[in-house]
Amino acid sequence: MLPATIEWEDGKLRLLDQRLLPRRTEYAVCESAEDTARAIENMTVRGAPAIGVAAAYGLVLALKNEDFAEAAERLAATRPTAVNLFWAIKRMRELWLENRNKDNGELYLIMENEALTIHNEDIEINKSIGRFGASILPDRGAAITHCNAGALATAGYGTALGVFRAAAEAGKRIRIYADETRPRLQGGLLTAYELQQDGFDVTVITDSMAAFLMSRVKIDAVVTGADRVAMNGDAANKIGTYGLAIAAKRHGVSFYIAAPLSTFDAECACGADIPIEERCGDEVRAIGGVCVIPEEIKVWNPAFDVTPNELITGIITERGIIRAPYAENIEKFFRGGNNRNEK
């Protein structure tokens, strides 16, 4: 059984330290918003929905002895690409503004309840995404996924991996190929671990093997998560996703994004508007803690890339699957139009 990613216990936030998986299962304890911010930055907790939930709890912790507005700004500065982070912070900040004149005890309970609600909502949203997504998969088949968009990247269940879980619950048998996902290897370390723990037939491949695999093995779908989706359907996800989508297009393989509605950013008209986090080059420079690229050689390390909408077959959300034309259908979808329950 997978350990819980996020736990709220006796007024403390416990985060599964994903840097140690699958070798060790340990929790980092956060007692302040600053502790939470550092845990997000150093990737103790990662995955767009998970860091949004963690940030919500971090703002509850801020009520103890930190300036709330400063804590919100500190948390917002941790990871610039994952829009779920900003969505959760905005939701908590608005509630704080409505209730900040109440006594401290009452305010704390209101904010704590909201963070718990965000946590529980995320699990139910993931399950709904999974139910819609299971419909795209055959009764027997194979799929590829990239990075980790599972229970470890969310409050539980997962987005992309939630699609596979829901398919399995419906009696479908899907073999899954997990890109190892350089440079932090979230696919090899986390996705493979999750799927193996749940009894899936999972095979790890390097990112550069995916195109060749599609030329030799019948792949029914590629399913990944997303950290931000623009209003035209362009989607930012872990670096390497764009190349995987190009390979899928070349080989006639359907390419799906699985993401909650909170991942859509109304402020981003297209992928060019999505900020891309660049991380320390040492993540690429070293493998297994051993430096293999000399320090005098430059390294570029964007953490995410953007997949253009024309390469995306559909975006699986908790209210259904959005398909092209994306700009038109996303607008309809958010208005509750005809695509609300499209499968």
Side-chain angles (χ1 to χ4, degrees):
M1 177 183 288
L2 281 170
T5 304
I6 300 170
E7 295 181 336
W8 179 253
E9 194 173 273
D10 298 326
K12 295 179 182 179
L13 176 61
R14 285 166 41 88
L15 299 173
L16 179 64
D17 193 336
Q18 300 191 32
R19 300 169 302 176
L20 306 178
L21 292 173
R23 299 176 301 278
R24 301 200 312 275
T25 300
E26 294 182 12
Y27 283 83
V29 178
C30 300
E31 299 187 52
S32 65
E34 179 58 32
D35 288 347
T36 309
R38 285 197 296 266
I40 294 170
E41 284 175 336
N42 66 27
M43 297 187 75
T44 295
V45 61
R46 29 70 52 204
I51 65 176
V53 173
Y57 283 123
L59 289 174
V60 178
L61 294 172
L63 296 173
K64 294 179 179 180
N65 52 26
E66 295 169 279
D67 181 276
F68 186 90
E70 290 180 3
E73 290 181 8
R74 172 73 177 96
L75 286 161
T78 55
R79 303 290 304 275
T81 301
V83 75
N84 309 67
L85 172 67
F86 304 100
W87 171 86
I89 292 170
K90 181 175 183 288
R91 181 165 162 178
M92 295 294 285
R93 183 191 282 120
E94 288 176 351
L95 187 65
W96 174 74
L97 287 170
E98 291 172 10
N99 295 279
R100 59 181 169 173
N101 292 327
K102 293 185 171 146
D103 69 75
N104 291 341
E106 185 179 2
L107 176 61
Y108 182 90
L109 289 175
I110 290 170
M111 298 294 286
E112 180 185 46
N113 183 66
E114 187 71 1
L116 289 165
T117 299
I118 290 171
H119 189 160
N120 293 326
E121 282 178 354
D122 185 71
I123 295 171
E124 294 307 311
I125 285 169
N126 286 189
K127 289 181 177 179
S128 183
I129 289 170
R131 287 190 291 270
F132 281 111
S135 67
I136 71 167
L137 297 171
D139 290 341
R140 301 288 183 273
I144 298 175
T145 192
H146 187 76
C147 195
N148 175 260
L152 295 171
T154 64
Y157 202 76
T159 52
L161 299 196
V163 169
F164 302 139
R165 287 192 170 95
E169 290 164 7
K172 297 183 178 185
R173 295 180 61 185
I174 308 297
R175 292 179 291 114
I176 303 165
Y177 293 88
D179 282 350
E180 67 172 354
T181 319
R182 282 277 290 152
R184 294 190 64 93
L185 308 180
Q186 297 100 318
L189 294 176
L190 302 178
T191 295
Y193 163 70
E194 270 201 47
L195 294 174
Q196 188 271 337
Q197 289 288 304
D198 279 358
F200 283 91
D201 180 350
V202 57
T203 301
V204 175
I205 59 174
T206 67
D207 304 1
S208 57
M209 295 174 184
F212 186 60
L213 174 70
M214 291 182 208
S215 74
R216 294 298 181 93
V217 174
K218 184 181 186 308
I219 300 296
D220 296 285
V222 174
V223 185
T224 77
D227 287 76
R228 190 181 300 223
V229 180
M231 298 310 286
N232 73 337
D234 294 348
N237 192 50
K238 187 58 57 184
I239 191 73
T241 305
Y242 180 21
L244 184 61
I246 291 171
K249 185 76 168 181
R250 170 67 179 81
H251 292 93
V253 176
S254 298
F255 182 93
Y256 286 91
I257 295 289
L261 293 174
S262 58
T263 303
F264 287 77
D265 186 353
E267 302 301 316
C268 286
C270 65
D273 298 330
I274 299 175
I276 299 299
E277 175 186 3
E278 292 190 24
R279 295 182 62 82
C280 177
D282 289 346
E283 291 181 343
V284 175
R285 201 181 302 281
I287 298 177
V290 177
C291 183
V292 295
I293 300 173
E295 291 186 7
E296 59 269 23
I297 297 176
K298 292 184 289 186
V299 169
W300 183 46
N301 185 23
F304 303 93
D305 58 25
V306 176
T307 299
N309 61 24
E310 62 264 26
L311 299 178
I312 300 172
T313 307
I315 304 171
I316 308 164
T317 78
E318 67 266 36
R319 292 208 331 246
I321 302 175
I322 306 174
R323 302 182 188 274
Y326 286 105
E328 175 184 340
N329 285 338
I330 288 171
E331 182 182 357
K332 286 181 181 178
F333 203 86
F334 276 88
R335 291 203 315 261
N338 294 334
N339 283 24
R340 184 178 177 89
N341 292 308
E342 179 189 348
K343 292 186 178 181

